Amino acid sequence: MSMTMSEKILARASGKDKVEAGEIVMANINIAMVHDLTGPLAVKGFKEIGTEKVWDKEKIVVPFDHQVPADSIDSANNHILMRKFVKEQNITNFYDVNQGVCHQVLPELGHVRPGEVIVGADSHTCTYGALGTFATGIGSTDMAMVFATGKLWFKVPETIRYEINGDLKENTSAKDVILNIIGTVGADGSTYKACEFVGQTISDFDMSDRMVLSNMAIEMGGKVGLCEADKKTDEYLKGRTDKPYKGFISDKDANYETIEFDVSDLEPQLACPHNVDNVKPVSEVSKPVDQVFLGSCTNGRIEDMRDAAKILKGNKVADGTRMLVIPASKEVYSKCLDEGLIKIFVDAGALVTNPCCGPCLGGHVGLIGPDEVSLSTSNRNFKGRQGSPEGEVYLSSAKVAAASAIKGEISLPE
């Protein structure tokens, strides 16, 4: 009866005693999420099915985050459509333009619990795996079926356990760990695999760090990115949810592949254009930057804001470089205000905006033009991802982003 974490979760969700990798199961969904960009197509599909009411109005979560406030007539119309749908269906968990990025908001507000199955019409839904949740992105048309039935079929994924050990050097972070892993195994190194992040380093990580790893599992093809639920998970969930939950861990004799990483000597990493697996040490890259973006569902948490503020305090963003700071949620923004971080950013010359996805998707504030270079703490650097296809996007940690904003070129924190 030995099973991996993913197999155990999907077995419970499908009402089976045991499932195996490669098996097809029909699983009950605990939470379904759509946002302002992917929601309209899901609503259209739902209406075409002909079902009058969603399967459970309390298990659908609708945050607006991609284009907020509306930046075009089209996005305003999308918002209107979704607001009407939420009202028609009496959906209880609706967060309009003032709450923040979906992948930060759902864990903060207690919608994510260990051992459950969450689907989201967004590829980085795998972020929630940091809490021991089987969470994955699906298409909007698949989401229409979930709205109608509360179920979805899955092929049970094979598992790769990334065993990570060692104490990180100062100024090296979880972002550097995951970039190093992706650079090593490649963008297709975990295609449709359940990526488990285990080991002493992961045990030492806080929830923010674990979310960085799970968030970027998709960048190496992963179906889900999982961390084992532990006391830190329980502590994070205190005051966020009062619903019972049960976490799972993989049996030692379960069927999985193990890849080991020792991060003791790891230095800050950089994903270079135009692929996330084009990874080099920051020390090997010298490049002037036109824009620095601190934020996103990868590195827009309060820990990232604090890291950047420590470096920016008393310094100025370099002439010829602009810096955007976008806290990932209202909760993070409020903490930045309370701790005086907003003043540090503004005094340094950065532009602080409302919680949203920002330039990450290339559809809102902060797009880059032809031949411009963006250094971003987000998760993707594909050609055209943040604006012009003739621009370049590099990915880094918050610490490297802040240091580079001061120097006006990609730089290591001192």
Side-chain angles (χ1 to χ4, degrees):
M1 293 293 289
S2 297
M3 289 187 285
T4 65
M5 193 188 317
S6 293
E7 289 168 347
K8 289 179 180 181
I9 296 173
L10 289 178
R12 185 172 75 167
S14 58
K16 297 187 175 185
D17 293 329
K18 180 177 174 60
V19 300
E20 297 179 348
E23 184 177 343
I24 303 298
V25 299
M26 183 64 76
N28 292 305
I29 304 301
N30 295 102
I31 292 290
M33 184 277 296
V34 296
H35 49 62
D36 51 307
L37 203 58
T38 59
L41 184 57
V43 170
K44 180 176 181 291
F46 174 76
K47 290 183 176 180
E48 288 175 352
I49 291 171
T51 305
E52 291 187 3
K53 290 292 182 181
V54 296
W55 104 97
D56 193 323
K57 62 187 178 70
E58 295 183 354
K59 292 185 177 181
I60 295 173
V61 184
V62 183
F64 285 180
D65 63 355
H66 272 57
Q67 292 173 288
V68 295
D71 61 342
S72 67
I73 300 299
D74 285 343
S75 60
N77 284 333
N78 283 339
H79 291 185
I80 291 169
L81 185 154
M82 291 307 299
R83 290 185 184 112
K84 286 182 177 178
F85 179 72
V86 164
K87 188 174 182 179
E88 288 169 0
Q89 297 294 327
N90 196 26
I91 291 171
T92 54
N93 297 306
F94 171 55
Y95 307 106
D96 213 317
V97 298
N98 63 343
Q99 197 69 49
V101 182
C102 57
H103 305 311
Q104 181 68 15
V105 169
L106 263 70
E108 281 181 352
L109 299 184
H111 298 299
V112 179
R113 289 172 290 275
E116 296 189 346
V117 176
I118 297 180
V119 292
D122 187 286
S123 57
H124 291 103
T125 300
C126 51
T127 305
Y128 315 141
L131 283 80
T133 309
F134 189 97
T136 193
I138 63 173
S140 294
T141 49
D142 283 338
M143 185 60 75
M145 184 57 68
V146 174
F147 280 2
T149 67
K151 300 176 182 292
L152 193 64
W153 70 269
F154 296 93
K155 183 174 80 169
V156 180
E158 297 176 357
T159 293
I160 299 178
R161 283 170 63 90
Y162 289 97
E163 187 167 330
I164 305 164
N165 292 295
D167 298 324
L168 292 177
K169 292 181 177 179
E170 188 178 4
N171 290 330
T172 305
S173 68
K175 183 64 165 289
D176 304 303
V177 172
I178 191 61
L179 287 178
N180 180 246
I181 292 173
I182 296 169
T184 301
V185 305
D188 58 354
S190 298
T191 300
Y192 208 91
K193 301 291 179 63
C195 304
E196 289 188 19
F197 301 106
V198 299
Q200 169 252 315
T201 308
I202 308 306
S203 296
D204 292 343
F205 276 170
D206 59 22
M207 194 53 60
S208 176
D209 294 325
R210 296 177 187 183
M211 285 184 184
V212 175
L213 301 181
S214 294
N215 175 272
M216 294 191 69
I218 186 65
E219 308 309 333
M220 51 185 175
K223 182 66 174 176
V224 291
L226 296 159
C227 299
E228 296 175 352
D230 57 12
K231 291 182 179 179
K232 290 184 178 180
T233 314
D234 295 336
E235 189 62 31
Y236 178 86
L237 288 171
K238 280 184 180 177
R240 300 188 189 276
T241 182
D242 57 4
K243 294 181 179 179
Y245 57 83
K246 178 184 178 182
F248 296 97
I249 62 173
S250 292
D251 295 322
K252 291 183 179 180
D253 57 347
N255 187 19
Y256 52 76
E257 177 186 355
T258 300
I259 302 177
E260 298 181 358
F261 285 83
D262 186 337
V263 296
S264 302
D265 295 322
L266 185 67
E267 60 179 287
Q269 305 285 293
L270 195 71
C272 303
H274 294 283
N275 294 295
V276 184
D277 60 356
N278 184 17
V279 177
K280 300 177 181 178
V282 174
S283 60
E284 294 182 6
V285 180
S286 177
K287 186 80 172 181
V289 292
D290 298 287
Q291 177 170 291
V292 174
F293 167 41
L294 171 64
S296 85
C297 60
T298 315
N299 287 115
R301 286 173 271 279
I302 187 61
E303 292 83 359
D304 303 299
M305 300 293 140
R306 290 167 180 159
D307 285 343
K310 287 178 183 177
I311 294 169
L312 287 166
K313 188 173 184 179
N315 291 298
K316 295 287 185 182
V317 174
D319 291 340
T321 299
R322 56 193 184 271
M323 183 176 188
L324 290 176
V325 178
I326 307 182
S329 69
K330 182 171 72 174
E331 179 179 310
V332 176
Y333 197 104
S334 296
K335 288 180 179 179
C336 287
L337 283 170
D338 293 342
E339 297 177 20
L341 306 187
I342 301 292
K343 178 172 174 53
I344 292 174
F345 297 141
V346 172
D347 287 349
L351 172 65
V352 183
T353 76
N354 62 290
C356 66
C357 293
C360 179
L361 71 151
H364 202 31
V365 295
L367 304 189
I368 60 172
D371 300 323
E372 286 196 312
V373 174
S374 168
L375 178 63
S376 174
T377 64
S378 57
N379 44 42
R380 285 187 176 152
N381 63 344
F382 308 147
K383 185 175 288 190
R385 173 72 182 184
Q386 291 188 5
S388 172
E390 298 172 30
E392 293 183 339
V393 180
Y394 292 77
L395 305 178
S396 77
S397 69
K399 295 175 182 178
V400 170
S404 301
I406 295 167
K407 293 290 184 64
E409 63 182 48
I410 292 172
S411 305
L412 284 166
E414 293 181 0

